[in-house]
Amino acid sequence: MAYSIQGKTVLVTGTNRGIGEALVKELIAQGAGRIYATARNPATLQALVAQAPNLVVPVQLDVTSADSIAKLAKEITSLDILINNAGIVNSTTFSGEDALAIATAEMATNYFGPIQLTQALLPLLHQSQAAAVVNISSIAGLANFPSVGPYSASKAAVHSFTQGLRAELRKANIFVQGVYPGPVDTDMTKGWEMEKATPAEVAKNIFTALQKGEEDVYPDAFARQMADVYNQSPKQLEQQFAATLG
Ligand SMILES: NC(=O)c1ccc[n+]([C@@H]2O[C@H](COP(=O)([O-])OP(=O)(O)OC[C@H]3O[C@@H](n4cnc5c(N)ncnc54)[C@H](OP(=O)(O)O)[C@@H]3O)[C@@H](O)[C@H]2O)c1
């Protein structure tokens, strides 16, 4: 299914910085009709809203809060595209003392949040003539990147959520896209010494893929290389990521 952004009503989570902010800027550039830009603290959205005050509607949303999700669902009257972008990472391995607490927090934000938000907004998506859900997973969701082991597990959960939701919503004609970025230059990767894609490039590639109807998106050069390895041999990607621990 090919898909157009033009005139669509879109909600993006976690838009006050990073990939979320870049997604909103790209949506403005591509002619979206209305953009619900969400943030835990909407005051942090002022500069973004100022770019297109008639298009961008700031909305408070903490994806870990059922009350916040219920409130948002009442505020919104129509929706074509939901982008589950908000996420957190901690540089912790499974052997770390705090692994369980961190894994719990990462699952709450990265996995349970998108499930709960998607459920709350599904009635609106069902009313749309051209609905889509875009889930931002990670290349670390396809094979565990051990320096961020618990985070990788939360992104593997997002990958599986994406597959299941896609199967469930196929008959309703709601397109479900999974996005698997490599390292992107945002606050999330501050201090990580590696080559990184820009958030703008990633945002552009996500929408190009959406317009082509691509279900699985590798929006940067590193992700594309790793996806090639994965498609040849999932075991080889596991071993390649394992080797990064030294
Ligand atoms: N950067 C990368 O290399 C990379 C690679 C693969 C996948 N990803 C994924 O891409 C997505 C965006 O990441 P990013 O790099 O743009 O990270 P970022 O710059 O750290 O931004 C994360 C965003 O998520 C929001 N957020 C965090 N917890 C939230 C919550 N409970 N409720 C609502 N919003 C919340 C943050 O808002 P606050 O300001 O309120 O904290 C912020 O807007 C994430 O899902 C991440 O896992 C990133």
Side-chain angles (χ1 to χ4, degrees):
M1 161 179 150
Y3 198 90
S4 165
I5 305 295
Q6 191 78 32
K8 294 288 189 305
T9 299
V10 188
L11 185 143
V12 188
T13 64
T15 62
N16 56 336
R17 53 195 165 93
I19 296 170
E21 180 185 37
L23 287 167
V24 172
K25 288 181 179 170
E26 191 57 31
L27 284 164
I28 295 169
Q30 297 211 10
R34 173 174 285 228
I35 306 157
Y36 291 108
T38 79
R40 284 192 281 196
N41 174 7
T44 57
L45 293 170
Q46 268 175 12
L48 187 59
V49 174
Q51 298 213 353
N54 296 331
L55 280 184
V56 181
V57 182
V59 188
Q60 199 282 332
L61 176 66
D62 179 341
V63 298
T64 65
S65 159
D67 287 350
S68 176
I69 289 175
K71 190 165 167 281
L72 168 135
K74 279 193 196 133
E75 280 171 36
I76 289 176
T77 51
S78 76
L79 186 66
D80 298 304
I81 307 173
L82 165 63
I83 306 184
N84 286 308
N85 165 76
I88 55 169
V89 69
N90 284 277
S91 294
T92 302
T93 63
F94 284 113
S95 321
E97 245 178 51
D98 48 0
L100 188 58
I102 281 174
T104 303
E106 288 174 342
M107 288 299 267
T109 303
N110 299 350
Y111 176 53
F112 298 132
I115 293 177
Q116 204 171 358
L117 181 63
T118 305
Q119 279 202 343
L121 297 177
L122 259 184
L124 292 180
L125 291 170
H126 276 292
Q127 287 167 27
S128 162
Q129 295 307 304
V133 178
V134 178
N135 290 333
I136 312 292
S137 176
S138 166
I139 202 70
L142 297 185
N144 194 282
F145 206 85
S147 58
V148 287
Y151 167 80
S152 302
S154 75
K155 290 297 181 175
V158 173
H159 172 50
S160 189
F161 166 50
T162 302
Q163 291 179 324
L165 191 70
R166 180 180 295 138
E168 284 176 49
L169 299 182
R170 195 177 300 278
K171 282 203 179 113
N173 233 358
I174 299 177
F175 184 69
V176 180
Q177 185 183 57
V179 182
Y180 304 88
V184 185
D185 194 8
T186 67
D187 289 356
M188 188 171 271
T189 59
K190 228 177 223 167
W192 298 10
E193 294 304 325
M194 50 175 65
E195 215 167 289
K196 298 171 197 171
T198 65
E201 165 195 353
V202 165
K204 207 177 202 43
N205 289 339
I206 288 170
F207 292 125
T208 300
L210 184 61
Q211 279 157 341
K212 289 183 185 161
E214 290 175 8
E215 292 182 351
D216 308 317
V217 187
Y218 307 99
D220 57 275
F222 181 85
R224 283 190 288 279
Q225 278 168 24
M226 296 305 113
D228 284 349
V229 175
Y230 179 79
N231 288 330
Q232 295 277 322
S233 162
K235 191 71 189 172
Q236 196 186 325
L237 188 61
E238 177 192 332
Q239 289 169 342
Q240 206 164 313
F241 284 177
T244 60
L245 268 192

